[in-house]
Amino acid sequence: MTDAHWLFGDQLGPHFTAPRDGVPGRDTPLVMIEARSVLRRRRFHRAKAHLVLSAMRHRAAELGDRVTYVQAETYREGLRRAAGSRPLTVHHPTSRAALGLVRSLGQVTVGPARGFLVPHEEFRAWADGHGTRRLRQEDFYHWVRRGHDLLMEDGQPVGGRWNFDHDTREPPPGDADVLGVPAPYRPREDEIDDEVRYDLDRWERAGEVSFVGRDGPRRFPATRREALAALRRFVRHRLSAFGPYEDAMLAADPVMSHSLLSSSLNLGLLDPDECVRRAEEAWRADEAPLNAVEGFVRQIAGWREYVWQLYWYFGESYRRENVLDHRAELPGWFLELDADAVTARCLGTVMAQVRDTGWTHHIPRLMILGSHALQRGWDPAAVTDWFHRCFVDGYDWVMLPNVVGMSQYADGGRMTTKPYTSGGAYVHRMSDLCGGCAYRPTERTGDRACPYTAGYWAFLHRHRELLAHNPRMNRPVRGLDRLRDLDALLRQEERRGDEPP
Ligand code: FAD
């Protein structure tokens, strides 16, 4: 019996079917399984369910007779129907659950991961080489740049610096309400999307599945061709502006100069190597400035890659980390993406973006959504699950380090040196979201008290002992002593409870 090769729904680009070390063979038959149980298990954003099914079905249509595409209740059932007891190969899946499943089946040989820059063993050797020293993303990033000869000349970083980060932290430009860069690529739906929409409607009507968020025209690439067009348009027309305003937020311009490429990378439609190479080529051709190109390369070769590696390196217990002992359940308005129930303009605006598109850029994720969850003491595992379900680019591997570590500080600082949360002053400085808000970032008690400002002090107070030992937090913690209205603030936050702010 000849082997067949199994493609998961996030292994859709040509780099997952191109033979390398004989896997898969040039003509190896392929198997894809659309397992309905995945959609039943969690209440995903409707746009995410649509995107993933659309991308899988588009890939199956491209592969034609070479693939057996089975719609089944579970992976096991689908595999039985598609391959029987035939031996299979698969590239290393992206979640522990999927890896556990393929290993338990007995008939599947797991090959190396594709779609990332660094093999697991190399990362492990690098990380183990640190002994008890802290792992730092910045060190990892330098190591990847050297190893992959990215933005390097004669062994040194081009421009004489590794990092142009301090050039990329600018507040939004003065009086403009949009950044004014050319719009990102938008795909056009086709008959496969019609079919997906028909199926989702049907399953939802039958009560088999249920979603959050709004349906709408598909905004993210579902095919390699669309993903390449999106990459091309970004590099040609939008990359130059990526640098300075990467951390800024504008109410009327949620995308600004961000690439919108995360879902394509995470579906495997794009390979990270081609994304960073194209950005570097743009700089070498004088088509984009170094600070923008370096910033983009750092996001992919630094952050994305680091997060992927840490997911495996930190082990299964990482998802249960909860050093701050945050136990509160997520309130209904947040679970339902009820943006209209929210008065705080920043949170309401960002929740509406998530409700309508399943996407928002990294600062709203970190400093608006995640920061609110942290300040309210919500259970980090439930927050992780919420991000996983509500974002078009959310997968287990990318959620755990980003949410448990980066956003909720539930790992006590293995991923970051301090909790990422702030008062309203930060939001005010980095966005236009405080203008026209019912609250004032400078006020911490009373009717106009900004929920972020008050929430920040209440958070510091709650974790005073733990944070006082953190060199980056002891100054703000000492600031608590200067607050004459701390008791009133704490009572106010207690009263606010789970109400939408
Ligand atoms: P750009 O700003 O254009 O960045 C370019 C690329 O860099 C992204 O496409 C992405 O592939 C990569 N990248 C940058 N930072 C990260 C990171 N921290 N982790 C992984 N990739 C990164 N990213 C996801 O892909 N899926 C998620 O579910 C996800 N959840 C997040 C949750 C929180 C709380 C935070 C703080 C960040 C999360 N990120 C996630 C990282 C980042 O916010 C998104 O990758 C980015 O906003 C996607 O938009 P973009 O493609 O326009 O990114």
Side-chain angles (χ1 to χ4, degrees):
M1 224 176 331
T2 55
D3 285 7
H5 183 79
W6 180 2
L7 291 177
F8 273 99
D10 56 358
Q11 300 183 332
L12 302 180
H15 46 294
F16 291 96
T17 47
R20 214 186 297 159
D21 300 328
V23 180
R26 196 162 297 283
D27 303 313
T28 302
L30 301 167
V31 168
M32 291 174 77
I33 294 151
E34 192 184 295
R36 188 96 53 90
S37 57
V38 176
L39 291 184
R40 267 199 240 286
R41 266 201 299 270
R42 285 188 153 117
R43 255 182 104 202
F44 286 105
H45 197 296
R46 166 85 188 216
K48 178 178 191 173
H50 183 119
L51 176 64
V52 174
L53 292 190
S54 174
M56 288 180 72
R57 293 181 187 184
H58 274 98
R59 184 63 176 140
E62 283 164 10
L63 291 165
D65 291 345
R66 191 176 165 200
V67 70
T68 305
Y69 190 90
V70 174
Q71 291 177 302
E73 182 53 32
T74 64
Y75 283 123
R76 276 177 201 276
E77 180 209 323
L79 213 57
R80 212 171 31 248
R81 280 170 39 204
S85 56
R86 183 179 204 172
L88 290 159
T89 54
V90 70
H91 285 302
H92 195 294
T94 59
S95 75
R96 287 180 179 278
L99 183 63
L101 170 73
V102 297
R103 287 203 173 135
S104 73
L105 291 168
Q107 71 198 92
V108 189
T109 307
V110 180
R114 289 194 182 161
F116 296 92
L117 297 166
V118 179
H120 287 314
E121 320 73 66
E122 287 182 23
F123 178 81
R124 187 163 286 280
W126 176 83
D128 288 348
H130 277 67
T132 53
R133 274 177 306 132
R134 235 187 109 79
L135 298 182
R136 287 179 62 236
Q137 184 270 348
E138 188 66 27
D139 298 337
F140 170 76
Y141 169 56
H142 299 181
W143 180 68
V144 175
R145 288 259 306 265
R146 279 203 191 89
H148 288 73
D149 198 23
L150 273 171
L151 293 174
M152 298 294 291
E153 234 145 45
D154 303 327
Q156 294 302 316
V158 296
R161 265 162 49 199
W162 290 105
N163 193 318
F164 292 78
D165 209 11
H166 66 265
D167 298 344
T168 61
R169 294 266 166 87
E170 306 231 349
D175 43 12
D177 55 3
V178 294
L179 197 56
V181 292
Y185 169 82
R186 280 291 290 269
R188 205 172 290 152
E189 290 198 0
D190 62 11
E191 63 285 358
I192 293 184
D193 290 293
D194 295 342
E195 255 173 50
V196 169
R197 183 158 290 113
Y198 174 80
D199 284 347
L200 293 177
D201 284 344
R202 193 160 54 86
W203 299 338
E204 205 172 6
R205 263 199 313 275
E208 292 181 44
V209 294
S210 132
F211 300 106
V212 292
R214 292 190 177 157
D215 188 18
R218 176 167 60 79
R219 289 165 186 270
F220 299 91
T223 65
R224 168 81 178 157
R225 198 178 50 76
E226 289 178 352
L228 282 174
L231 174 62
R232 219 169 19 245
R233 180 164 175 85
F234 171 71
V235 171
R236 226 178 258 166
H237 301 292
R238 300 166 46 76
L239 172 60
S240 293
F242 187 79
Y245 305 115
E246 217 188 305
D247 285 2
M249 297 173 276
L250 288 171
D253 188 359
V255 180
M256 302 183 72
S257 58
H258 290 274
S259 70
L260 293 184
L261 292 174
S262 51
S263 60
S264 303
L265 280 157
N266 297 354
L267 284 167
L269 294 170
L270 293 175
D271 190 66
D273 190 66
E274 68 189 330
C275 296
V276 293
R277 300 280 170 212
R278 287 197 189 194
E280 175 165 358
E281 279 160 26
W283 170 69
R284 292 199 183 273
D286 238 349
E287 287 161 10
L290 186 54
N291 68 344
V293 171
E294 188 280 318
F296 180 69
V297 167
R298 176 154 31 93
Q299 296 307 308
I300 291 184
W303 280 111
R304 181 175 190 270
E305 194 67 25
Y306 192 55
V307 159
W308 161 251
Q309 300 293 347
L310 291 184
Y311 172 76
W312 297 101
Y313 190 70
F314 282 162
E316 172 60 14
S317 60
Y318 191 75
R319 74 176 68 244
R320 291 185 294 278
E321 297 265 11
N322 191 359
V323 298
L324 299 177
D325 197 29
H326 282 178
R327 305 269 166 208
E329 283 177 19
L330 272 56
W333 57 269
F334 195 77
L335 288 168
E336 294 300 323
L337 301 178
D338 187 2
D340 298 336
V342 177
T343 306
R345 186 162 174 247
C346 57
L347 183 58
T349 304
V350 168
M351 280 186 63
Q353 289 164 10
V354 179
R355 177 195 64 201
D356 296 345
T357 67
W359 181 92
T360 176
H361 80 67
H362 70 130
I363 295 299
R365 294 187 204 206
L366 189 64
M367 299 309 287
I368 304 288
L369 298 166
S371 174
H372 187 69
L374 183 63
Q375 293 182 354
R376 304 318 300 179
W378 294 347
D379 174 7
V383 178
T384 306
D385 181 64
W386 181 87
F387 271 102
H388 184 148
R389 293 184 296 103
C390 294
F391 280 80
V392 286
D393 52 18
Y395 292 84
D396 201 48
W397 67 267
V398 70
M399 295 289 53
L400 255 58
N402 271 313
V403 183
V404 172
M406 184 98 166
S407 147
Q408 298 303 296
Y409 199 69
D411 65 358
R414 287 172 85 185
M415 177 94 192
T416 65
T417 50
K418 68 173 185 101
Y420 276 98
T421 184
S422 75
Y426 171 87
V427 179
H428 188 38
R429 189 171 66 251
M430 295 307 292
S431 78
D432 63 356
L433 291 160
C434 298
C437 181
Y439 304 117
R440 293 286 172 278
T442 46
E443 296 188 22
R444 56 180 178 256
T445 51
D447 289 348
R448 301 197 310 175
C450 167
Y452 284 87
T453 305
Y456 179 67
W457 290 117
F459 170 78
L460 291 187
H461 172 79
R462 199 161 66 240
H463 297 295
R464 181 176 198 138
E465 257 178 56
L466 187 133
L467 298 177
H469 299 296
N470 181 321
R472 294 190 67 192
M473 292 304 287
N474 60 20
R475 236 178 78 192
V477 167
R478 272 187 278 125
L480 281 168
D481 298 331
R482 290 197 305 275
L483 302 189
R484 295 225 185 92
D485 52 1
L486 182 61
D487 287 342
L489 181 151
L490 296 174
R491 279 196 304 276
Q492 162 191 288
E493 290 312 284
E494 189 68 37
R495 270 197 313 276
R496 272 188 181 173
D498 270 352
E499 290 300 306

